[in-house]
Each structure stands twice: as C-alpha cells, then as structure tokens.
Amino acid sequence: DAGITQSPRHKVTETGTPVTLRCHQTENHRYMYWYRQDPGHGLRLIHYSYGVKDTDKGEVSDGYSVSRSKTEDFLLTLESATSSQTSVYFCAIDGGQGGYEQYFGPGTRLTVT
Amino acid sequence: AQSVAQPEDQVNVAEGNPLTVKCTYSVSGNPYLFWYVQYPNRGLQFLLKYITGDNLVKGSYGFEAEFNKSQTSFHLKKPSALVSDSALYFCALYSSASKIIFGSGTRLSIRP
C-alpha cells in the first residue's frame, strides 16, 4: 500500500468520546488526505494537507479536525464521536513528482456505538 | 461543476468473457481520469490513468481504459475476465488543488 500505514485498523468507541486516527507515510510526499467510505457514497474527502501545519477542509469536514506536525504523519480527530461517523476511513498521499493520482492506506474501520 | 458518474452499481460477467465498467465525466477543460480497484477489506489500488496522449491507456492486471472525449467517457475494459477480478471499481476525476473526485463505485462479479 505505497508506504502508508494507518492505526488503529479497527476501533469501537462510544458516542461522545474523542477518537484520533493516525496516518503515517514513508514516501515524503507533500499532500495527504483523509476520506471516509460509506455504502452508496463512494469516497468523500474530509480534510487534506498540503504541507506541515497546512490543512484545508473537504466536502464532509463537520465534526472532524486534523493536524500535521511532521511531513510523515497526518492525524484525524473526532472531537466527540457520533453514530453517523461510523465508517471506514482511508488515508491517501499524492502521486509524487508529476503524479496526479493518489495512493491509499489500508483503512481504519470505526464503529461508534 | 466537475463530476464523475458510474451508471452501473453492479456488473456481472462470465469468466473468459470481455468486461466493461462504465464511467462518464463532466469537467471544463481537459480531464485527468483514473481507475482504482478495491478488494474486500483493503484500501484502493491505483490501476491506470489518462492525462494526455493515446486514448487507450493500459494499466495493471491486464486492464485498459478507453478515453472518449466526444462522449465524455472513460470506460474500463479487459479482454478476458478472471474470477479474481471480482472487486469494487472506482472511476475518479482530478479536481483542483490536488484533489480527486470519486464515482460511487461499480461492483464487478465474475462467475466461473
């Protein structure tokens, strides 16, 4: 999976608790992304980063925050998890020099009860 | 507005037969298009891309895609399907600021 790891791979949490998902890359690529995947919706962009401490919102950013203090790490935080945030979360990185495509991590399955 | 559509939720093909997974797009300007495959409990894997040049693009696992500007389509094809090709396929379109828009996905089922 292109030098991208995600942790944890599975998590069950209760409504109202904070949750942080981690994405780590070894490719030294500039852009990193967080998506969620839900049946019938494909992949939807939550937040993305274009450099250390540089982040921006995607189409479904409400209820999520991100941080990037190092090139290799991109954290996604659910400040107060809700059942609607039960989903599979994928991290991705850009394609590198001249590459418009993205490469994906293995995903984190999050269940909010 | 930029968009990408996959008109079929599911495609069923017999092993050994050719397969086609359809994708149409809408964009102002030249499109950059991609196909991804997702196997169960895995992340998306990049298959191929069209940026410019030859309208027939070859990718991984024997897949190819045909770009048709007049029909605004980018269909994924394979001459002879394998059972192992059964998976979820996503068409995608490069948007602005290094972002990609994904279609809703097509589930490909290859029967032996």
Side-chain angles (χ1 to χ4, degrees):
Chain A
D1 289 316
I4 308 168
T5 57
Q6 293 184 231
S7 59
R9 294 292 314 279
H10 302 270
K11 187 171 182 66
V12 180
T13 192
E14 293 183 349
T15 298
T17 60
V19 176
T20 295
L21 308 183
R22 179 179 183 248
C23 177
H24 179 79
Q25 61 147 329
T26 59
E27 308 295 325
N28 199 36
H29 287 189
R30 178 183 176 191
Y31 285 82
M32 298 184 75
Y33 310 83
W34 277 109
Y35 292 90
R36 58 179 290 173
Q37 183 179 23
D38 304 290
H41 290 279
L43 273 77
R44 293 180 291 175
L45 182 64
I46 305 171
H47 282 280
Y48 68 102
S49 169
Y50 47 96
V52 173
K53 299 191 188 308
D54 293 322
T55 65
D56 204 351
K57 297 178 180 179
E59 62 176 301
V60 290
S61 60
D62 288 348
Y64 302 94
S65 62
V66 291
S67 65
R68 191 169 179 199
S69 59
K70 297 184 291 185
T71 299
E72 58 266 35
D73 289 327
F74 192 31
L75 304 180
L76 177 70
T77 297
L78 291 66
E79 301 290 348
S80 178
T82 67
S83 59
S84 64
Q85 294 176 312
T86 291
S87 187
V88 181
Y89 291 86
F90 288 101
C91 175
I93 63 174
D94 67 81
Q97 293 181 5
Y100 294 94
E101 68 273 18
Q102 294 175 9
Y103 295 97
F104 285 78
T108 294
R109 183 174 296 275
L110 177 67
T111 302
V112 183
T113 61
Chain B
Q2 299 172 359
S3 64
V4 61
Q6 296 180 242
E8 302 159 316
D9 290 336
Q10 174 115 9
V11 171
N12 299 308
V13 178
E15 187 175 27
N17 283 1
L19 69 87
T20 298
V21 183
K22 296 179 180 178
C23 174
T24 60
Y25 67 90
S26 175
V27 67
S28 57
N30 294 321
Y32 298 167
L33 294 156
F34 315 93
W35 275 102
Y36 287 83
V37 59
Q38 184 180 32
Y39 298 103
N41 300 312
R42 299 287 299 275
L44 276 69
Q45 295 181 29
F46 172 71
L47 276 179
L48 52 79
K49 65 181 175 183
Y50 172 83
I51 302 299
T52 186
D54 195 347
N55 289 344
L56 187 64
V57 180
K58 295 189 182 298
S60 306
Y61 311 122
F63 283 94
E64 57 190 25
E66 185 172 12
F67 172 69
N68 188 316
K69 189 170 185 177
S70 63
Q71 297 186 4
T72 62
S73 66
F74 187 57
H75 300 334
L76 183 70
K77 300 182 179 185
K78 189 173 183 181
S80 179
L82 300 172
V83 172
S84 57
D85 293 330
S86 297
L88 187 58
Y89 290 81
F90 290 97
C91 183
L93 171 69
Y94 182 86
S95 179
S96 59
S98 294
K99 291 183 283 187
I100 290 179
I101 302 168
F102 288 86
S104 56
T106 297
R107 189 163 300 280
L108 177 64
S109 178
I110 310 298
R111 60 185 183 274

